[in-house]
């Protein structure tokens, strides 16, 4: 027998979910990118919380809009101090 016709409601819901996920990903990348630069600027001006945050970022490595900030124990320790 021929396959059943596609359920247009299911396809529509799936498409909406995919678009929503893509939008969320773009927003999150933008926030991480902005937050990294805000934290970096504050850390360079002596903000202890921002310095700790950068230490955390370098201890695990993260992806930001400009690329990947790679794991670096050396940089993490520099910011922790």
């Amino acid at each position: 027998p021929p396959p059943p016709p596609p359920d247009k409601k299911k396809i529509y819901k799936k498409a909406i979910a995919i678009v929503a996920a893509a939008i969320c990903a773009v927003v999150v990348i933008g926030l991480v990118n902005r937050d990294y630069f805000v934290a970096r600027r504050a850390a360079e001006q002596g903000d202890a919380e921002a310095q700790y945050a950068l230490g955390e970022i370098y201890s695990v490595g993260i992806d930001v809009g400009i690329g990947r900030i790679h794991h670096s124990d050396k940089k993490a320790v520099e910011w922790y101090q």
Side-chain angles (χ1 to χ4, degrees), residues 5-75:
D7 183 352
K8 289 184 181 181
K9 281 187 178 181
K10 276 186 176 179
I11 293 171
Y12 180 73
K13 284 182 180 180
K14 192 175 278 189
I16 293 295
I18 291 169
V19 169
I23 290 170
C24 287
V26 168
V27 169
V28 167
I29 288 170
L31 289 174
V32 169
N33 192 31
R34 185 202 68 204
D35 290 345
Y36 168 77
F37 286 107
V38 169
R40 176 85 187 212
R41 193 173 314 121
E44 289 170 346
Q45 294 174 356
D47 184 304
E49 288 182 20
Q51 291 170 344
Y52 181 83
L54 284 180
E56 290 291 300
I57 288 170
Y58 282 106
S59 71
V60 296
I62 62 166
D63 289 312
V64 294
I66 58 162
R68 177 141 180 87
I69 295 176
H70 294 282
H71 166 85
S72 170
D73 288 332
K74 181 181 177 186
K75 285 186 180 181

